[in-house]
Amino acid sequence: MKLSCHWLSEYVDHRLDASALSHTLTMCGLEVEEEDVLRAAADGIQVGHVLHVARHPNADRLTVCQVDLGQKDPLQIICGAPNVAAGQNVAVATIGATLLLPGRSKPLKIKRAKMRGEVSMGMICAEDELGLSDDHSGIMVLDADAKVGEPFGTYLERRGISVQDTVLDIVITPNRPDATCHIGVARDISARCDVPLHPPVVVIPEAGGEASRQIKVSIACPDKCRRYVAMVVRGVSMGDSPLWLRRRLEAIGLRPINNVVDITNFVMHECGQPLHAFDYDKVADRTIVVRESRAQETITTLDGKSRTLPPGTVLICDGQRSVAIGGIMGGENSEVSRATTSVLIESAYFDPTATRRAARALGLSTDASYRFERGVDAEGQAWAAARAAVLMEALTGGTVVEGMVDAHPNPVVMPSLTLRHARIPKILGIDIAHGEVERILKALGFAPSTAGPDAWQCAVPPHRPDVTCEIDLIEEVARIHGFDKISLPKVAKLPGMAPRQRPEEILRRAVYGLLGGRGFREVYTNSLLSRAEAEQFCDPVLAARGSVVETLNAVSQSMTTLRPSLVPGILQVMGHNQNHGQDTLRFYEFGHVFHKVSKAVSYVPGFSEYDALILAISGPIGPLEWAEKVRTGDFFDLKGDVETLLESLRVPGIRVEPFDSPTSLTEYHAVIYSESVEIGRMARLSDAVGRAYDIKSPIYFAEFNWTRLVLYARSHVARRYQPISRFPAVTRDISLLVDRTVTAGEMLSSIRAAGSRLLQEVTIFDLYAGDGVDRGKQSIAFSLRFGAQRTLRDREVDAAIHKIVHALHEQHGAQLRGPGA
Amino acid sequence: MAATASDQSLLEIVAAVRQDVEQADLDSEAAAEAFRIRFLGQRSGLITALFKRIPTLPRGDRRAAGIALNGLHKTAQERLKAARAALSSGRTAARQHVDLTLPGRRQREAGSIHPLTHALRGITDIFERIGFSIAEGPEIEDDWHNFTALNFAVDHPARDMQDTLFLQASEDGAGGVMLRTHTSPVQIRSMLAGRPPFRLIAPGRVYRNETITYKSYCLFHQVEGLVVDEGITMADLKHVLYTFVRAFFGDDVKVRFRPSFFPFTEPSAELDVWWDLPSGGRWMEILGSGMVHPNVLEAVGIDSERYTGYAFGMGVERPAMLHYGIEDIRILYENDIRFLSQF
């Protein structure tokens, strides 16, 4: 919201320059986002009196004026404005003055000039040339009582018009309905700087009187419209507002419209109460009825748009039809126009919630609805109506009809709150003196009275509906006293609890280090996908359960659905990078994935959500090297990464088991277990799916349920040392011939089972099929390491080997090769 | 026993010769032969000559001189032997052909950590160092945890401050399910799951229903903090936040702590840091904070008279972008390798 510093100083004599004022407001909780300086031309400009006007001999549109500037001789000035006339007081830019003309980047310096043969010793200015308004219809005609020869700046100041003003754009937080106007902001300044606040004095007429005979008001929905004040001003003459008023409104970014509307806007920005001016003669039956709208009612608002109202909207009606949407916008049928002679001023209290809902439903936010939504001063209606009426009398030549209508069926009851002095240091950590607390409360209008030892009873003023409990009062005291006065404790407190690092955190850090070292790059992808893409990857093959989770109000069709898997995000990243000339693609990501399920699985019933980790590779496994051949990564490269990762995280009993049923998403895939618990899946993606993402090389990925994996991983913290054997281990190699249909996994399980406790490790060190090996057979070689907490005898090892070879033969038909076969 | 001038000088000579013996370059057959003649030659070898001087020494000094000379003699013989062995096996010649400027075998390109992880960890590490523990919560939340328990009134304009992405419609502030709009619901979940004291930090992803532009994205990351205990005050809050910004931005950071509004804290404050720019600089909002509102404590069954606390929350993208000089937020989610490899 925009504030004029000059306007503020009408209500509080703060004696601060603009930047100090800006700092003060920010530190009171009214953050100043922007400062803008407005400057009128004043240097070298004087009040002149036009003595004589004659047509220019050589130009039809120019006049030759003799202007008295209070010196011995009048000056001759050539003027092109149509409205210049003898007897006027005008603003004259004298020789040497500079003007910033609209539409020109360089200032204009006034010089002695000859215009079509006639000498001109200055320039008679229009309002826009003086930087006062946009008006360029003619020269600015000054008041008759202007002093000839007086500096123009002095002339303006005497009329309450600033030569220079600073406009502050402040942020209004939802708890400060009182700060949506100049008096409200001035109240904070007055409290903070400890200087008096002086709002304008207005005599509020008694309810009733002639006004109550000229307009009848009834309220059918007192819960939504708690009060409706009406006043009538007759005999107004519609026209432009005086310069000071236009300057006020233009400074805060409002366009002047006409004197009556300008006054209602001015009063709203002065005291925060929105007003509406009806053309009194267009109000049928001289009656105002406030009621809720019925189904399908429409109204044409004064912006010319026809609007269908949601049922229950507050509607202002006259004797026959609706004339305004309460608290939001007036109707076109009753607005004031150039022809208006009598004005009905509406000053009402509309309920915040009702206004907010109606404004949202209508998609219409106005200066009025903005204030009613936040809550206007519950008792400010009569003051604002009277203030506007007085201004209309003064500025439009009208007459205020005696009295006012004050329909007030449902007054707001403001609470009374207790503030304990001892509670302040408990919250703020500093003591604030008794007198200072009381001063602040008084300055903000809380009328503190003593309530027991060291406590106050505070009547919440009607302009602070947001204040409802003691902590609100403490905040008020704190922000005026100053957050900068809260000093830092010399010694910090440490609560009586040990800081704990969750195992998850330790494991995650290990993953960053390990995958970084193995050439993986971490990515962050969008959790929102298009529905089609999300559904494609919401597949049991990827361990997805249930269906996709959709948003109801997405801004874009490409982001309607939550990701059920990290796979699509990674594919987008791979596609992007391959399109930008990158071949080696190795990525990983941590992120939540989401599914809709029938029963409660995680936090919110019906939704499943867990942290996933994905590793994905495609293309060459590493950079070009001079000593190695570049190789395209395959399933076993990724499997090596996965096994290394899981081993370093101390995930026990890692198994990768092929999953046989064919799928459309993958060429082949496998399930990763820790003991008997599934912790992830790995696969080669279907080449067709990869091509759809513009990726030409085969894609391999492993996706883990990280939330579950963490439960089974045992970081070093949870480990116990196993004594290492002091006795030498014995290594034996065996080579076997076996059918190609037998898998390495099957043979390894058989070896482990048969090797008993003496077998510590088994490694496959050779695998061969082809020349020298029978068709349909393969040669496979194992390295077996035996050990125990004692020296092994050859006999024992021989017996173990025999058992293993026997088991392989029995279970898989394997034949021992080479020596001893 | 006082040393005599003569044995002193012999030992000095031995030391000097030892240096020559040890530093001699023996990279060729010729050099090895020259070494032999110079130090060990029967007629004119330096060491041979020194042995001949022993009988000229005072009787009591001869033993020490003998030991020193014998040691030197052995060293020289060993060097010669080693050099000849190396020369005959050709190792030294091979050494001269190694091109040490060839690049190393890397096998993998260096991986990288996303800048947002660096920023998130940069922030949480500081708090962990001063005694905070990490907590987490879901990204799908319900009305109660995301708004109601945090003292957002059903129709309060504060709910307008955030554009919520709904998954399930909300009627009068109940029954709604949404993507969390802030990490603050983690406060609620953590407090419900335990008893005071609390001293936690909650990093996480949050969502806003916004069009993607260079400065806004439909999701971003926050770090939430919560401390609840007896005797916690706003001075403690200010202290922790000032400690944080000094650790994060440097000791000379210029800070502004000003009143603000959040439904779940009161008094509320925002912390700005001054950011120098070529055009003069401006205040940048870094985090929101405040004393936990009594209504929030009561909503999770904590006695707000006995316990007080503070909470704070900050975005991660903005400080990360400021720190790295990134101007378009979208590049963070594009994951171009040319971008990622810089972190």
Side-chain angles (χ1 to χ4, degrees):
Chain A
M1 192 193 70
K2 285 183 175 171
L3 292 168
S4 147
C5 289
H6 190 259
W7 191 346
L8 278 174
S9 55
E10 261 189 42
Y11 313 119
V12 60
D13 187 11
H14 51 74
R15 291 165 203 255
L16 299 171
D17 65 24
S19 78
L21 184 62
S22 167
H23 179 72
T24 300
L25 291 175
T26 295
M27 296 313 285
C28 285
L30 302 169
E31 186 199 358
V32 175
E33 274 195 321
E34 245 178 75
E35 291 174 39
D36 205 6
V37 177
L38 300 180
R39 196 176 277 119
D43 290 349
I45 298 171
Q46 285 176 291
V47 175
H49 183 71
V50 183
L51 298 171
H52 178 74
V53 173
R55 173 156 311 169
H56 191 291
N58 303 321
D60 286 348
R61 294 194 174 179
L62 298 180
T63 43
V64 180
C65 310
Q66 303 300 322
V67 183
D68 177 11
L69 284 170
Q71 289 148 353
K72 214 163 58 184
D73 300 315
L75 293 181
Q76 173 166 304
I77 296 174
I78 313 297
C79 182
N83 65 329
V84 66
Q88 286 172 336
N89 287 333
V90 294
V92 178
T94 56
I95 287 167
T98 52
L99 295 177
L100 261 176
L101 298 189
R104 281 221 218 172
S105 55
K106 275 196 201 155
L108 171 75
K109 187 159 187 181
I110 304 296
K111 293 183 210 146
R112 183 179 185 276
K114 251 190 180 172
M115 297 173 86
R116 299 234 173 164
E118 289 291 332
V119 172
S120 182
M121 300 294 290
M123 176 173 152
I124 302 176
C125 302
E127 282 185 8
D128 67 334
E129 291 158 344
L130 294 162
L132 291 169
S133 77
D134 294 338
D135 188 0
H136 192 70
S137 58
I139 55 157
M140 178 180 181
V141 180
L142 308 186
D143 295 349
D145 60 354
K147 289 186 190 145
V148 173
E150 176 179 57
F152 183 58
T154 313
Y155 168 87
L156 290 176
E157 297 286 359
R158 284 203 287 121
R159 278 152 186 82
I161 298 163
S162 57
V163 174
Q164 185 176 321
D165 194 0
T166 303
V167 178
L168 306 177
D169 202 347
I170 63 168
V171 179
I172 307 280
T173 52
N175 63 327
R176 295 301 308 279
D178 65 302
T180 58
C181 62
H182 282 75
I183 291 178
V185 172
R187 188 182 295 111
D188 268 16
I189 300 168
S190 135
R192 175 88 174 190
C193 302
D194 196 13
V195 291
L197 176 74
H198 28 78
V201 176
V202 174
V203 179
I204 301 171
E206 297 254 332
E210 177 58 22
S212 66
R213 281 182 282 279
Q214 299 201 7
I215 191 80
K216 294 270 178 282
V217 175
S218 66
I219 301 175
C221 50
D223 53 331
K224 290 188 177 172
C225 174
R226 288 167 176 270
R227 189 183 194 186
Y228 196 104
V229 168
M231 286 182 78
V232 179
V233 183
R234 288 187 169 277
V236 301
S237 134
M238 301 294 292
D240 288 341
S241 297
L243 182 64
W244 70 263
L245 178 53
R246 285 184 283 133
R247 284 281 289 168
R248 283 273 181 268
L249 298 179
E250 281 178 338
I252 59 166
L254 292 181
R255 194 169 53 84
I257 294 167
N258 58 49
N259 46 13
V260 167
V261 172
D262 290 352
I263 287 166
T264 61
N265 280 331
F266 173 81
V267 173
M268 175 171 73
H269 283 94
E270 180 176 61
C271 72
Q273 170 66 43
L275 301 175
H276 185 60
F278 292 104
D279 185 328
Y280 175 78
D281 295 316
K282 293 181 190 162
V283 175
D285 305 338
R286 298 181 170 187
T287 297
I288 289 288
V289 177
V290 185
R291 63 165 173 85
E292 293 182 54
S293 65
R294 296 179 278 267
Q296 295 302 309
E297 271 192 275
T298 60
I299 182 170
T300 302
T301 42
L302 47 75
D303 55 4
K305 289 191 180 139
S306 171
R307 300 175 189 274
T308 305
L309 301 173
T313 306
V314 175
L315 207 50
I316 313 299
C317 305
D318 62 12
Q320 292 159 15
R321 57 192 180 152
S322 56
V323 290
I325 308 173
I328 300 177
M329 195 180 264
E332 195 177 42
N333 56 15
S334 54
E335 73 175 313
V336 290
S337 66
R338 291 270 153 189
T340 300
T341 56
S342 299
V343 173
L344 168 65
I345 301 169
E346 167 198 287
S347 178
Y349 180 96
F350 296 107
D351 176 65
T353 301
T355 310
R356 182 175 135 84
R357 287 188 177 178
R360 278 187 75 141
L362 287 163
L364 183 60
S365 178
T366 60
D367 280 349
S369 69
Y370 175 83
R371 286 169 176 77
F372 284 122
E373 280 175 20
R374 281 168 166 70
V376 298
D377 183 333
E379 285 161 24
Q381 289 70 39
W383 188 94
R387 170 78 166 148
V390 168
L391 284 170
M392 284 182 201
E393 195 164 63
L395 303 182
T396 71
T399 311
V400 179
V401 174
E402 176 265 325
M404 68 163 50
V405 178
D406 186 359
H408 202 175
N410 188 9
V412 175
V413 180
M414 298 307 294
S416 172
L417 304 172
T418 307
L419 172 62
R420 295 162 292 169
H421 193 201
R423 192 70 187 158
I424 293 175
K426 284 202 167 136
I427 299 294
L428 302 181
I430 50 162
D431 282 309
I432 303 179
H434 192 278
E436 170 73 351
V437 174
E438 206 163 285
R439 182 194 73 74
I440 292 170
L441 291 171
K442 269 188 196 146
L444 294 177
F446 286 90
S449 59
T450 304
D454 230 15
W456 296 273
Q457 199 62 33
C458 299
V460 177
H463 57 265
R464 291 309 299 273
D466 58 294
V467 174
T468 56
C469 49
E470 186 184 36
I471 194 74
D472 295 329
L473 292 172
I474 295 174
E475 179 175 60
E476 289 303 301
V477 172
R479 70 178 182 85
I480 298 298
H481 183 68
F483 281 14
D484 44 343
K485 293 195 185 123
I486 299 175
S487 47
L488 304 187
K490 293 244 163 23
V491 178
K493 284 179 224 131
L494 198 61
M497 58 184 294
R500 305 222 184 275
Q501 194 171 32
R502 297 173 314 150
E504 194 276 333
E505 192 59 27
I506 298 168
L507 294 169
R508 188 180 283 240
R509 282 170 195 251
V511 173
Y512 287 130
L514 189 101
L515 293 184
R518 291 182 81 88
F520 283 87
R521 298 192 184 282
E522 192 197 12
V523 299
Y524 274 53
T525 65
N526 196 340
S527 332
L528 292 161
L529 306 169
S530 74
R531 184 182 167 153
E533 193 174 17
E535 280 182 340
Q536 184 187 0
F537 291 92
C538 190
D539 193 311
V541 164
L542 303 178
R545 1 174 208 190
S547 53
V548 295
V549 180
E550 283 190 90
T551 60
L552 301 177
N553 55 334
V555 287
S556 146
Q557 284 302 309
S558 62
M559 303 189 306
T560 58
T561 312
L562 282 163
R563 59 183 176 198
S565 155
L566 298 178
V567 173
I570 284 281
L571 295 179
Q572 287 177 11
V573 173
M574 285 185 157
H576 170 89
N577 279 293
Q578 206 165 67
N579 277 334
H580 287 83
Q582 305 285 345
D583 295 327
T584 302
L585 305 174
R586 299 172 70 78
F587 297 108
Y588 73 105
E589 181 176 18
F590 280 106
H592 288 214
V593 295
F594 310 86
H595 307 109
K596 201 161 185 157
V597 291
S598 51
K599 60 181 172 116
V601 178
S602 59
Y603 297 94
V604 177
F607 297 91
S608 146
E609 170 179 354
Y610 60 84
D611 219 349
L613 164 65
I614 190 169
L615 279 65
I617 65 169
S618 188
I621 54 163
L624 281 177
E625 304 240 22
W626 56 272
E628 314 280 340
K629 267 200 144 172
V630 179
R631 196 162 57 73
T632 298
D634 64 19
F635 187 83
F636 300 99
D637 286 300
L638 183 63
K639 193 175 175 189
D641 291 323
V642 164
E643 287 168 343
T644 309
L645 177 72
L646 296 179
E647 264 175 41
S648 78
L649 297 180
R650 305 291 182 245
V651 176
I654 306 158
R655 286 188 295 127
V656 178
E657 299 213 338
F659 191 81
D660 282 340
S661 51
T663 81
S664 60
L665 273 182
T666 59
E667 298 292 339
Y668 43 79
H669 71 270
V671 182
I672 307 168
Y673 293 94
S674 167
E675 311 291 3
S676 60
V677 178
E678 178 182 334
I679 54 171
R681 305 231 166 169
M682 63 180 298
R684 172 173 170 173
L685 191 82
S686 138
D687 292 345
V689 174
R691 276 195 299 277
Y693 283 87
D694 240 5
I695 308 160
K696 291 158 202 89
S697 42
I699 299 150
Y700 304 91
F701 66 87
E703 190 176 30
F704 296 96
N705 182 331
W706 176 253
T707 305
R708 192 185 294 160
L709 190 158
V710 165
L711 298 177
Y712 295 95
R714 298 176 190 152
S715 74
H716 63 94
V717 178
R719 290 185 80 76
R720 280 193 63 80
Y721 159 70
Q722 298 288 319
I724 41 179
S725 172
R726 299 178 177 281
F727 302 94
V730 177
T731 304
R732 296 276 181 90
D733 295 345
I734 53 170
S735 177
L736 299 128
L737 210 57
V738 68
D739 281 352
R740 290 187 74 172
T741 51
V742 178
T743 66
E746 291 169 314
M747 281 190 275
L748 286 170
S749 322
S750 300
I751 292 172
R752 288 202 185 94
S756 75
R757 290 173 57 193
L758 293 184
L759 180 66
Q760 290 179 331
E761 199 175 296
V762 50
T763 316
I764 298 173
F765 71 92
D766 190 41
L767 181 68
Y768 177 75
D771 288 346
V773 174
D774 294 345
R775 271 176 73 91
K777 297 273 184 190
Q778 59 185 341
S779 157
I780 186 161
F782 299 93
S783 178
L784 309 165
R785 198 177 69 192
F786 298 91
Q789 291 290 354
R790 56 186 168 78
T791 303
L792 287 180
R793 280 169 292 183
D794 275 351
R795 229 171 359 102
E796 293 177 276
V797 178
D798 289 344
I801 295 274
H802 180 78
K803 251 179 100 179
I804 288 168
V805 171
H806 183 74
L808 290 173
H809 178 69
E810 286 290 306
Q811 293 163 28
H812 308 296
Q815 298 288 338
L816 201 60
R817 297 183 85 200
Chain B
M1 189 172 69
T4 65
S6 61
D7 72 25
Q8 184 81 9
S9 65
L10 183 66
L11 288 178
E12 278 174 17
I13 293 167
V14 169
V17 172
R18 172 175 284 276
Q19 211 172 5
D20 288 348
V21 164
E22 282 171 357
Q23 290 176 358
D25 224 348
L26 301 180
D27 55 359
S28 67
E29 220 32 88
E33 181 58 15
F35 177 91
R36 188 191 66 79
I37 292 167
R38 182 177 169 209
F39 294 106
L40 302 167
Q42 284 301 317
R43 271 181 296 161
S44 55
L46 254 173
I47 297 171
T48 320
L50 289 171
F51 271 113
K52 288 177 182 162
R53 283 177 61 179
I54 290 180
T56 70
L57 296 176
R59 192 169 292 275
D61 296 336
R62 289 178 193 165
R63 184 178 153 77
I67 291 169
L69 261 177
N70 274 324
L72 177 62
H73 186 252
K74 198 177 167 203
T75 307
Q77 280 185 320
E78 276 169 5
R79 277 223 67 192
L80 189 62
K81 193 179 164 195
R84 287 197 160 136
L87 285 167
S88 66
S89 75
R91 242 186 11 213
T92 309
R95 176 172 81 187
Q96 285 169 338
H97 290 113
V98 176
D99 179 359
L100 298 180
T101 64
L102 278 170
R105 293 190 180 94
R106 307 183 55 153
Q107 299 176 328
R108 303 277 187 274
E109 277 165 31
S112 50
I113 290 176
H114 196 278
L116 286 176
T117 296
H118 282 303
L120 269 162
R121 286 172 62 182
I123 293 166
T124 55
D125 281 356
I126 292 168
F127 286 106
E128 283 194 87
R129 261 173 245 148
I130 53 176
F132 285 74
S133 304
I134 292 186
E136 272 190 338
E139 291 171 16
I140 294 179
E141 269 298 0
D142 56 32
D143 275 323
W144 193 80
H145 289 91
N146 196 69
F147 288 129
T148 312
L150 288 164
N151 199 36
F152 281 79
V154 170
D155 255 301
H156 199 280
R159 288 199 182 194
D160 272 352
M161 288 165 79
Q162 301 162 340
D163 281 312
T164 309
L165 266 164
F166 280 97
L167 306 177
Q168 198 169 286
S170 165
E171 270 181 41
D172 291 336
V177 177
M178 66 231 13
L179 289 169
R180 66 177 173 192
T181 55
H182 48 186
T183 41
S184 307
V186 183
Q187 290 183 31
I188 301 300
R189 292 193 178 273
S190 301
M191 286 194 282
L192 284 172
R195 296 170 155 277
F198 296 103
R199 191 176 175 87
L200 57 92
I201 196 99
R205 181 173 280 203
V206 303
Y207 298 82
R208 299 282 160 92
N209 197 10
E210 279 181 5
T211 316
I212 294 178
T213 67
Y214 76 98
K215 59 178 183 181
S216 73
Y217 206 75
C218 55
L219 56 89
F220 57 96
H221 297 80
Q222 277 190 339
V223 175
E224 187 85 8
L226 174 74
V227 171
V228 175
D229 201 352
E230 290 179 51
I232 298 291
T233 70
M234 200 144 177
D236 300 319
L237 166 64
K238 204 170 157 182
H239 178 243
V240 159
L241 296 183
Y242 277 49
T243 304
F244 165 73
V245 290
R246 284 179 188 142
F248 196 80
F249 294 101
D251 277 325
D252 53 352
V253 67
K254 205 170 134 195
V255 186
R256 187 168 82 173
F257 188 67
R258 61 178 167 81
S260 187
F261 171 79
F262 306 101
F264 42 101
T265 53
E266 186 146 14
S268 300
E270 271 178 284
L271 191 93
D272 302 338
V273 302
W274 183 258
W275 202 259
D276 278 323
L277 295 165
S279 55
R282 62 190 179 100
W283 289 106
M284 303 289 282
E285 243 172 70
I286 292 300
L287 54 84
S289 67
M291 298 302 292
V292 179
H293 198 289
N295 292 355
V296 174
L297 293 175
E298 298 297 335
V300 294
I302 293 174
D303 178 357
S304 64
E305 276 292 307
R306 180 173 165 199
Y307 291 102
T308 49
Y310 59 79
F312 55 87
M314 72 191 85
V316 176
E317 272 79 351
R318 193 207 293 248
M321 290 169 73
L322 279 174
H323 185 263
Y324 294 119
I326 296 168
E327 280 168 5
D328 186 333
I329 194 169
R330 291 170 295 195
I331 200 164
L332 292 170
Y333 296 95
E334 191 179 69
N335 302 296
D336 193 301
I337 290 176
R338 295 163 295 177
F339 170 77
L340 297 175
S341 61
Q342 297 179 37
F343 299 95

